[in-house]
Protein backbone atom coordinates (compact mmCIF):
# COMPACT_ATOMS: atom_id res chain seq x y z
CA UNK A 1 0.00 0.00 0.00
CA UNK A 2 1.35 3.37 -1.02
CA UNK A 3 2.06 5.71 1.89
CA UNK A 4 3.13 9.33 1.57
CA UNK A 5 4.94 11.09 4.40
CA UNK A 6 5.74 14.77 4.66
CA UNK A 7 8.35 16.18 7.00
CA UNK A 8 8.24 18.47 8.85
CA UNK A 9 4.57 18.70 9.79
CA UNK A 10 5.02 22.40 10.50
CA UNK A 11 7.71 24.94 9.74
CA UNK A 12 8.16 28.57 10.76
CA UNK A 13 10.78 30.74 9.06
CA UNK A 14 11.60 34.44 8.80
CA UNK A 15 10.85 36.22 5.56
CA UNK A 16 13.56 35.92 2.94
CA UNK A 17 14.80 32.48 3.86
CA UNK A 18 15.16 29.68 1.35
CA UNK A 19 13.49 26.49 2.53
CA UNK A 20 12.96 22.86 1.61
CA UNK A 21 9.87 20.74 2.19
CA UNK A 22 10.26 16.97 2.06
CA UNK A 23 8.00 14.25 0.76
CA UNK A 24 8.66 10.51 0.75
CA UNK A 25 6.63 7.63 -0.66
CA UNK A 26 6.92 3.91 -0.07
CA UNK A 27 6.13 2.53 -3.54
CA UNK A 28 8.38 3.84 -6.32
CA UNK A 29 5.98 2.69 -9.06
CA UNK A 30 4.40 6.09 -9.52
CA UNK A 31 3.06 7.77 -12.63
CA UNK A 32 3.63 11.31 -11.42
CA UNK A 33 3.88 13.47 -8.31
CA UNK A 34 2.05 16.72 -7.70
CA UNK A 35 2.64 19.48 -5.15
CA UNK A 36 -0.34 21.51 -3.98
CA UNK A 37 -0.88 24.51 -1.78
CA UNK A 38 -3.90 24.83 0.51
CA UNK A 39 -4.83 28.08 2.21
CA UNK A 40 -7.03 27.94 5.35
CA UNK A 41 -10.64 27.18 4.45
CA UNK A 42 -9.82 26.86 0.76
CA UNK A 43 -9.40 24.14 -1.81
CA UNK A 44 -6.11 22.96 -3.27
CA UNK A 45 -4.06 24.92 -5.76
CA UNK A 46 -1.73 22.92 -7.98
CA UNK A 47 1.86 24.18 -7.87
CA UNK A 48 3.97 21.71 -9.80
CA UNK A 49 3.45 18.37 -11.55
CA UNK A 50 6.43 16.08 -12.14
CA UNK A 51 6.06 13.08 -14.41
CA UNK A 52 7.90 9.91 -13.38
CA UNK A 53 10.40 10.38 -16.21
CA UNK A 54 11.32 13.87 -15.05
CA UNK A 55 13.80 14.94 -12.39
CA UNK A 56 12.51 18.41 -11.58
CA UNK A 57 10.07 21.15 -12.41
CA UNK A 58 10.37 24.89 -11.80
CA UNK A 59 7.81 27.66 -11.52
CA UNK A 60 8.98 31.07 -10.39
CA UNK A 61 10.49 30.76 -6.91
CA UNK A 62 9.44 27.13 -6.64
CA UNK A 63 11.48 24.11 -7.66
CA UNK A 64 10.38 20.54 -7.15
CA UNK A 65 12.66 17.55 -7.58
CA UNK A 66 11.84 13.88 -7.87
CA UNK A 67 14.04 10.86 -7.11
CA UNK A 68 11.72 8.02 -7.92
CA UNK A 69 14.13 5.22 -7.06
CA UNK A 70 14.62 6.47 -3.52
CA UNK A 71 10.98 7.49 -3.12
CA UNK A 72 11.64 11.15 -2.42
CA UNK A 73 10.61 14.57 -3.60
CA UNK A 74 11.54 18.01 -2.34
CA UNK A 75 9.88 21.37 -2.84
CA UNK A 76 12.34 24.24 -2.68
CA UNK A 77 10.99 27.73 -2.05
CA UNK A 78 13.42 30.57 -2.66
CA UNK A 79 13.30 33.92 -0.87
CA UNK A 80 10.18 33.07 1.12
CA UNK A 81 7.45 35.68 1.61
CA UNK A 82 4.60 35.98 4.14
CA UNK A 83 2.21 35.22 1.28
CA UNK A 84 3.78 31.77 0.99
CA UNK A 85 2.23 30.84 4.34
CA UNK A 86 -0.05 27.87 3.70
CA UNK A 87 -0.15 24.10 3.97
CA UNK A 88 1.81 22.33 1.24
CA UNK A 89 0.62 18.90 0.16
CA UNK A 90 2.47 16.27 -1.79
CA UNK A 91 0.53 13.61 -3.73
CA UNK A 92 1.60 10.67 -5.86
CA UNK A 93 -0.31 8.88 -8.58
CA UNK A 94 0.30 5.17 -8.77
CA UNK A 95 1.39 3.69 -12.08
CA UNK A 96 -1.31 1.25 -13.14
CA UNK A 97 0.33 0.71 -16.51
CA UNK A 98 -1.48 3.60 -18.13
CA UNK A 99 -4.92 3.05 -16.67
CA UNK A 100 -6.63 5.02 -13.94
CA UNK A 101 -4.90 5.80 -10.71
CA UNK A 102 -5.86 7.92 -7.75
CA UNK A 103 -3.76 10.50 -6.00
CA UNK A 104 -2.43 9.44 -2.60
CA UNK A 105 -1.78 12.45 -0.37
CA UNK A 106 0.57 13.19 2.46
CA UNK A 107 -0.77 15.06 5.47
CA UNK A 108 1.06 18.22 4.49
CA UNK A 109 3.56 20.69 5.88
CA UNK A 110 2.11 23.82 7.43
CA UNK A 111 4.42 26.71 6.55
CA UNK A 112 4.45 30.04 8.33
CA UNK A 113 6.64 32.83 6.97
CA UNK A 114 7.02 35.66 9.44
CA UNK A 115 7.63 39.23 8.29
CA UNK B 1 -16.21 27.31 -16.62
CA UNK B 2 -12.69 28.39 -15.81
CA UNK B 3 -12.34 26.21 -12.75
CA UNK B 4 -13.99 23.44 -10.78
CA UNK B 5 -17.10 24.77 -9.08
CA UNK B 6 -18.59 23.24 -5.94
CA UNK B 7 -21.82 24.06 -4.16
CA UNK B 8 -22.79 24.81 -1.52
CA UNK B 9 -19.58 26.16 -0.02
CA UNK B 10 -20.92 25.48 3.46
CA UNK B 11 -23.64 23.15 4.67
CA UNK B 12 -24.90 22.61 8.21
CA UNK B 13 -27.32 19.72 8.62
CA UNK B 14 -28.94 17.83 11.42
CA UNK B 15 -27.85 14.29 12.19
CA UNK B 16 -29.95 11.81 10.25
CA UNK B 17 -30.77 14.12 7.35
CA UNK B 18 -29.65 13.51 3.76
CA UNK B 19 -27.40 15.98 1.95
CA UNK B 20 -26.37 16.50 -1.67
CA UNK B 21 -23.11 18.10 -2.69
CA UNK B 22 -22.56 19.30 -6.24
CA UNK B 23 -19.47 19.49 -8.40
CA UNK B 24 -19.20 21.14 -11.81
CA UNK B 25 -15.86 20.17 -13.40
CA UNK B 26 -13.83 22.06 -15.94
CA UNK B 27 -15.42 21.79 -19.36
CA UNK B 28 -13.83 18.99 -21.36
CA UNK B 29 -12.34 17.20 -18.36
CA UNK B 30 -13.37 13.57 -18.55
CA UNK B 31 -12.09 12.47 -15.15
CA UNK B 32 -13.76 13.57 -11.90
CA UNK B 33 -12.77 12.71 -8.34
CA UNK B 34 -14.28 13.20 -4.89
CA UNK B 35 -12.08 13.45 -1.81
CA UNK B 36 -12.82 14.08 1.85
CA UNK B 37 -10.63 16.05 4.25
CA UNK B 38 -11.42 15.64 7.93
CA UNK B 39 -9.96 17.92 10.60
CA UNK B 40 -6.30 17.10 11.11
CA UNK B 41 -6.38 14.31 8.54
CA UNK B 42 -5.06 13.96 5.04
CA UNK B 43 -7.20 13.81 1.95
CA UNK B 44 -9.18 10.58 1.66
CA UNK B 45 -10.19 9.32 -1.79
CA UNK B 46 -13.92 8.58 -2.14
CA UNK B 47 -14.90 7.94 -5.76
CA UNK B 48 -13.64 8.40 -9.33
CA UNK B 49 -15.49 8.82 -12.63
CA UNK B 50 -13.86 8.46 -16.04
CA UNK B 51 -16.01 9.15 -19.09
CA UNK B 52 -18.75 6.55 -19.48
CA UNK B 53 -16.90 3.84 -17.56
CA UNK B 54 -18.24 2.37 -14.35
CA UNK B 55 -17.05 4.53 -11.44
CA UNK B 56 -14.37 3.40 -9.00
CA UNK B 57 -16.27 3.44 -5.70
CA UNK B 58 -13.55 1.77 -3.67
CA UNK B 59 -13.08 4.74 -1.34
CA UNK B 60 -16.68 5.22 -0.24
CA UNK B 61 -16.71 4.66 3.55
CA UNK B 62 -20.20 3.17 3.80
CA UNK B 63 -23.35 2.46 1.80
CA UNK B 64 -24.76 5.77 3.03
CA UNK B 65 -22.48 7.44 0.49
CA UNK B 66 -23.26 7.46 -3.21
CA UNK B 67 -22.39 9.60 -6.21
CA UNK B 68 -23.49 10.01 -9.76
CA UNK B 69 -22.30 11.92 -12.75
CA UNK B 70 -24.86 13.00 -15.30
CA UNK B 71 -23.97 13.42 -18.95
CA UNK B 72 -20.28 13.07 -18.18
CA UNK B 73 -20.23 16.49 -16.56
CA UNK B 74 -21.85 17.56 -13.26
CA UNK B 75 -21.51 15.18 -10.32
CA UNK B 76 -23.56 14.90 -7.15
CA UNK B 77 -22.31 13.26 -3.96
CA UNK B 78 -25.15 12.16 -1.68
CA UNK B 79 -24.81 11.26 1.97
CA UNK B 80 -27.85 9.61 3.51
CA UNK B 81 -28.69 9.63 7.21
CA UNK B 82 -25.73 11.86 8.02
CA UNK B 83 -23.65 11.18 11.12
CA UNK B 84 -21.38 13.53 13.05
CA UNK B 85 -18.30 11.72 11.76
CA UNK B 86 -19.32 12.76 8.25
CA UNK B 87 -18.36 16.35 9.13
CA UNK B 88 -15.49 17.26 6.83
CA UNK B 89 -14.56 19.28 3.79
CA UNK B 90 -15.60 17.48 0.62
CA UNK B 91 -13.36 18.31 -2.32
CA UNK B 92 -13.97 17.62 -5.97
CA UNK B 93 -11.26 17.55 -8.64
CA UNK B 94 -11.23 17.07 -12.38
CA UNK B 95 -8.55 16.08 -14.85
CA UNK B 96 -8.29 16.24 -18.61
CA UNK B 97 -8.17 12.45 -18.76
CA UNK B 98 -7.87 9.54 -16.41
CA UNK B 99 -4.71 8.13 -17.89
CA UNK B 100 -2.53 9.68 -15.24
CA UNK B 101 -0.52 12.06 -17.39
CA UNK B 102 -2.49 15.14 -16.46
CA UNK B 103 -2.63 16.84 -13.09
CA UNK B 104 -5.73 17.45 -11.01
CA UNK B 105 -7.59 20.76 -10.59
CA UNK B 106 -9.50 21.05 -7.32
CA UNK B 107 -12.58 23.03 -6.41
CA UNK B 108 -12.82 25.09 -3.21
CA UNK B 109 -14.75 22.37 -1.43
CA UNK B 110 -17.96 22.05 0.56
CA UNK B 111 -17.58 22.27 4.32
CA UNK B 112 -20.16 19.92 5.82
CA UNK B 113 -21.06 20.18 9.49
CA UNK B 114 -23.41 17.62 11.01
CA UNK B 115 -24.92 18.75 14.31
Amino acid sequence: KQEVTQIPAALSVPEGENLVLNCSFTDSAIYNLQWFRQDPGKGLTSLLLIQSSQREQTSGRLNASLDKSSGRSTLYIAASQPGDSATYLCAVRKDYGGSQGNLIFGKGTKLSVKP
Amino acid sequence: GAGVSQSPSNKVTEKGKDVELRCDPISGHTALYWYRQSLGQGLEFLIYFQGNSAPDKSGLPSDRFSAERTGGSVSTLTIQRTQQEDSAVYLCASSLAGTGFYGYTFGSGTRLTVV
Side-chain angles (χ1 to χ4, degrees):
Chain A
K1 178 185 174 185
Q2 177 72 274
E3 292 184 0
V4 180
T5 303
Q6 291 187 246
I7 295 173
L11 181 63
S12 181
V13 300
E15 182 177 5
E17 269 203 11
N18 303 324
L19 57 99
V20 174
L21 307 181
N22 297 292
C23 172
S24 62
F25 45 94
T26 54
D27 187 345
S28 62
I30 65 168
Y31 204 98
N32 56 39
L33 182 146
Q34 198 165 356
W35 281 93
F36 295 88
R37 167 186 174 139
Q38 186 173 31
D39 292 280
K42 306 288 186 182
L44 277 66
T45 300
S46 179
L47 298 174
L48 290 164
L49 171 67
I50 310 177
Q51 302 297 341
S52 62
S53 59
Q54 299 175 320
R55 298 284 292 184
E56 66 177 341
Q57 283 285 337
T58 298
S59 176
R61 294 183 294 108
L62 305 180
N63 175 278
S65 68
L66 173 64
D67 184 341
K68 201 173 88 164
S69 60
S70 68
R72 295 178 187 274
S73 176
T74 61
L75 178 66
Y76 175 82
I77 303 177
S80 58
Q81 303 171 357
D84 295 331
S85 298
T87 296
Y88 291 80
L89 294 161
C90 165
V92 300
R93 188 160 192 173
K94 185 171 173 58
D95 183 359
Y96 283 104
S99 63
Q100 65 194 46
N102 304 310
L103 282 181
I104 308 298
F105 283 84
K107 292 189 176 181
T109 293
K110 186 175 182 180
L111 174 65
S112 175
V113 181
K114 300 193 181 305
Chain B
V4 177
S5 178
Q6 291 189 246
S7 62
S9 54
N10 281 285
K11 175 73 176 178
V12 179
T13 189
E14 291 181 354
K15 178 181 173 181
K17 295 285 179 76
D18 298 351
V19 294
E20 285 189 352
L21 312 179
R22 176 189 168 104
C23 173
D24 199 343
I26 292 174
S27 178
H29 280 196
T30 61
L32 186 148
Y33 310 81
W34 283 97
Y35 282 80
R36 176 169 73 173
Q37 187 176 34
S38 303
L39 188 64
Q41 302 297 315
L43 273 79
E44 174 189 8
F45 165 73
L46 296 177
I47 189 169
Y48 160 64
F49 296 90
Q50 170 55 42
N52 296 319
S53 302
D56 175 358
K57 305 178 182 180
S58 59
L60 294 178
S62 78
D63 59 7
R64 296 186 295 105
F65 288 72
S66 63
E68 62 178 21
R69 189 179 185 190
T70 53
S73 181
V74 172
S75 176
T76 302
L77 176 69
T78 300
I79 309 173
Q80 297 178 308
R81 305 181 303 280
T82 51
Q83 304 294 313
Q84 288 186 328
E85 61 263 28
D86 299 334
S87 296
V89 177
Y90 289 81
L91 292 161
C92 174
S94 70
S95 178
L96 190 57
T99 57
F101 183 80
Y102 302 98
Y104 288 27
T105 301
F106 277 83
S108 297
T110 293
R111 181 175 297 277
L112 175 66
T113 304
V114 182
V115 298

